[in-house]
Structure formats: structure tokens, C-alpha cells
Amino acid sequence: MSILRQASVADLYIKELKGYKAPPTAKDAHVGTVKAYALPPTPKPPVIPTDLAAELSAYDATEPTKADAPKVAVAGTEHVGQSADSFLESLEADLPKADSHH
């Protein structure tokens, strides 16, 4: 291709680009692609109990205690309830005696 022909093709291309007009979009083109927005329902305020003292005493009567809790056996918890010193002594008792010549 010659330089003159390349220039004329480029000029035609630019002329067509400048003359291009996008087709107009319809005003309702968004229908079906955009979801309608609706405000969420307003939350209701909490109901304040009228007899708070009676509800608190009922709660205190039904509150569980540690004695009522079921005891679950978990592996590796045989040292629970020991003091730190007795726990360390039991660990040291399991260790073999080290040789003094090292």
C-alpha cells in the first residue's frame, strides 16, 4: 500500500467516526434490568416490661448454677483442678533422669 492510499483510508475512517451518531435509547430501556428500590420496613421499638421486678425475680429463680451443669469428660484434662506446682511436679516425674556427663 502506498502512503497516499493509507492516508485516504485513515481520512475516510476518521470522517465516518465523526459522523457516527449513537441510536437514541428509549426512556424505559432500564425496565427489566434494574430492580425497583423499596425501603425496608421500619423496626418496632422494644416493649418495656411493666413489672420489671417480677421478671427479674423469675429470671433469678430459673438461673442455672454450676452444680446443675453436666460434666463433660475431655481428653487431656486429668490435671484440671491441680495447683501449678503439683502439675509441674507431675510433669517432671514423667521425665527420665538426665545424665550428668552431658
Side-chain angles (χ1 to χ4, degrees), residues 5-94:
R5 182 175 262 179
Q6 287 178 349
S8 64
V9 171
D11 289 339
L12 282 173
Y13 183 72
I14 291 173
K15 178 183 157 190
E16 289 298 319
L17 280 177
K18 287 182 180 179
Y20 176 77
K21 295 200 187 237
T25 57
K27 290 187 178 187
D28 61 349
H30 67 281
V31 175
T33 56
V34 177
K35 190 175 181 181
Y37 178 74
L39 288 173
T42 55
K44 296 181 180 180
V47 179
I48 299 174
T50 55
D51 192 11
L52 188 58
E55 287 194 21
L56 285 175
S57 64
Y59 174 76
D60 287 340
T62 60
E63 185 177 359
T65 61
K66 288 184 179 180
D68 296 339
K71 296 186 178 184
V72 179
V74 179
T77 59
E78 58 271 357
H79 299 291
V80 174
Q82 293 182 354
S83 68
D85 291 332
S86 62
F87 175 72
L88 291 174
E89 287 174 5
S90 66
L91 288 179
E92 289 173 353
D94 294 340

